[in-house]
Amino acid sequence: MVDRGERIPLAERKRRAKVHISDLKKDIKMKAKGKGNRAVQLLIILLILGVFAQNSGMISKMNKLLGQSETTVHEIYDDTAVIKAYKTGDTSGLDEKDLFVHDKMSEVIKKLITDDMSPYEKEKAIYDWQVKWTSYNDQSLNPIVAGGSETHTPYGVLRSHNAICVGNATTFKLFMDALDIPCKIIHSTQNGEHAWDVVQLDGEWYHVDVTFDGGVSGEPGYNYFNMPDSVKDNGSYPWDHDEIPAANGTKYCYMLTSAAALNDMYEIPAQLKQAINGDKTMLTFTLKDNSGFTRQIAEYICNSFPIDNGWVGFADAYSLDGQTVYKYTIERYENGGGEIPPEVLSRLDEAIADANDGMIAGAAQ
């Protein structure tokens, strides 16, 4: 999932379009191999131009859905009253909405949290639950269109199962405050609005971005779970470092703790294939011998593994706890309407094939 109340960075949009077009070119060349007639060549040109236009349209649509109104900045919910009521057991001072938030929060904590859990285990339990509970609500991104949507608040999130970035951040903080885990919200508005959290575990701070999790169908992807500044501070959504404590923790950094230890780059393909088959959304790894491993090779490897309804991309290399950790992102596009019935797919494939045959016939005349 790509994030935001919030606009997709231009570099990321260009990279995605480039990957899609590159993959399409390869696929078309394979299908056209040995068919040197002009009609097929013309079809290749038309399809490449078509997919470029499609990607441009897709990017425009995604920005429309994900792009926060330039003039709208959501207010950050104050959970003081709810947390006080939770700690004291006195809910008499809560209004109707805060009482709902209190009761739902209490229900979730009672179900998930036990006294013998460590702060990290409590944090991860809440994180996993919240990813499963919420889905990114594109209808609430523009208040003018969505009207009274409250998915920027814990009430809206807990009531509707939907959240925008501010709702994710405030809801996660609500739980952390209830569990006495230090937590702050970063509310970035310079490059469009985005919000996420930083949490303190064993005296060190980490970034937690539920919205950018990257998971599919409610299963967490952990793409931005407990990340240090060196990973999160990529310029997309700047924040005031004087107000937010430096996040330099690595002990609980998921990208580091889940990294596969590989001997050399020749072990990457098998590991990447395993991650793809396992429906993972991220592969991180270290290399005992990284000689010869360049970005060009990293991208060559990921381009060799096309996946249905998605793509694989090489993110970057990060220095974490004295180690170089490499990251691949495995993006899958979810069908918001559920699975397409097989009989519908079959008829659509026939219609698409007939249309393509007609285009070839017309070009040959």
Side-chain angles (χ1 to χ4, degrees):
M1 300 288 290
V2 185
D3 71 320
R4 212 183 137 198
E6 49 240 323
R7 193 175 303 280
I8 302 171
L10 178 60
E12 176 66 6
R13 287 181 274 154
K14 287 182 177 179
R15 188 185 69 77
R16 291 187 180 201
K18 181 180 179 181
V19 169
H20 283 306
I21 293 171
S22 175
D23 288 346
L24 183 76
K25 285 180 179 179
K26 292 178 183 177
D27 187 52
I28 293 174
K29 286 179 180 178
M30 288 296 295
K31 291 179 180 179
K33 192 174 181 180
K35 301 178 182 179
N37 61 72
R38 294 177 61 85
V40 172
Q41 293 174 8
L42 178 60
L43 176 60
I44 291 173
I45 294 172
L46 290 173
L47 286 176
I48 290 174
L49 290 174
V51 79
F52 180 79
Q54 182 182 15
N55 272 281
S56 299
M58 178 188 71
I59 290 168
S60 176
K61 182 178 180 181
M62 290 176 73
N63 270 336
K64 182 178 180 181
L65 290 175
L66 298 177
Q68 187 63 52
S69 168
E70 294 295 334
T71 59
T72 300
V73 174
H74 292 89
E75 183 178 355
I76 298 298
Y77 173 79
D78 183 357
D79 65 12
T80 302
V82 173
I83 297 303
K84 181 180 179 181
Y86 179 74
K87 299 293 185 182
T88 63
D90 180 9
T91 60
S92 61
L94 299 180
D95 62 23
E96 181 180 354
K97 290 183 179 180
D98 277 351
L99 181 59
F100 175 85
V101 170
H102 171 277
D103 291 349
K104 183 62 183 179
M105 177 193 72
S106 301
E107 174 192 326
V108 172
I109 290 176
K110 183 177 180 179
K111 179 180 178 181
L112 298 178
I113 305 301
T114 58
D115 291 339
D116 60 344
M117 295 173 71
S118 68
Y120 168 72
E121 289 170 334
K122 294 176 182 179
E123 177 216 17
K124 187 174 181 297
I126 295 299
Y127 181 91
D128 290 351
W129 173 85
Q130 188 168 330
V131 170
K132 289 179 173 66
W133 179 265
T134 61
S135 59
Y136 202 84
N137 182 9
D138 58 37
Q139 292 302 315
S140 67
L141 293 181
N142 190 332
I144 296 175
V145 175
S149 172
E150 295 186 69
T151 53
H152 63 290
T153 70
Y155 174 78
V157 173
L158 298 175
R159 172 70 75 178
S160 69
H161 289 258
N162 288 315
I164 64 167
C165 59
V166 177
N168 270 325
T170 53
T171 301
F172 188 77
K173 183 179 184 295
L174 172 78
F175 281 98
M176 295 301 101
D177 289 347
L179 296 171
D180 295 319
I181 298 174
C183 181
K184 296 178 180 292
I185 292 175
I186 296 179
H187 192 197
S188 177
T189 59
Q190 183 173 325
N191 294 337
E193 183 183 36
H194 185 50
W196 66 98
D197 304 274
V198 288
V199 297
Q200 188 182 50
L201 300 168
D202 291 354
E204 296 185 307
W205 290 88
Y206 300 82
H207 292 269
V208 179
D209 195 333
V210 179
T211 305
F212 276 29
D213 171 80
V216 177
S217 301
E219 293 301 318
Y222 304 111
N223 278 271
Y224 285 95
F225 178 60
N226 288 354
M227 297 299 173
D229 285 344
S230 59
V231 176
K232 188 62 176 173
D233 193 9
N234 59 13
S236 296
Y237 300 105
W239 68 89
D240 188 342
H241 288 258
D242 292 331
E243 293 185 1
I244 301 298
N248 297 320
T250 56
K251 180 180 180 181
Y252 299 107
C253 174
Y254 191 86
M255 192 170 78
L256 175 61
T257 59
S258 65
L262 307 183
N263 288 312
D264 55 38
M265 62 183 177
Y266 299 105
E267 294 184 1
I268 298 174
Q271 198 72 30
L272 184 56
K273 184 64 175 178
Q274 182 178 335
I276 293 171
N277 290 344
D279 290 330
K280 303 296 183 182
T281 61
M282 175 179 69
L283 169 66
T284 59
F285 58 91
T286 60
L287 291 175
K288 183 177 181 180
D289 176 10
N290 65 355
S291 58
F293 186 58
T294 63
R295 176 170 289 275
Q296 181 181 13
I297 290 176
E299 292 179 349
Y300 177 83
I301 293 173
C302 67
N303 287 337
S304 300
F305 290 96
I307 60 175
D308 293 336
N309 202 30
W311 53 271
V312 180
F314 179 69
D316 217 327
Y318 305 91
S319 179
L320 298 173
D321 197 27
Q323 303 182 69
T324 300
V325 178
Y326 304 91
K327 177 181 176 181
Y328 279 102
T329 298
I330 305 166
E331 182 77 37
R332 293 177 175 87
Y333 305 128
E334 291 189 274
N335 177 16
E339 292 296 325
I340 301 176
E343 62 274 14
V344 174
L345 282 176
S346 177
R347 292 189 62 182
L348 282 175
D349 287 341
E350 290 179 6
I352 292 169
D354 290 343
N356 284 333
D357 289 343
M359 183 184 294
I360 293 175
Q365 294 177 355

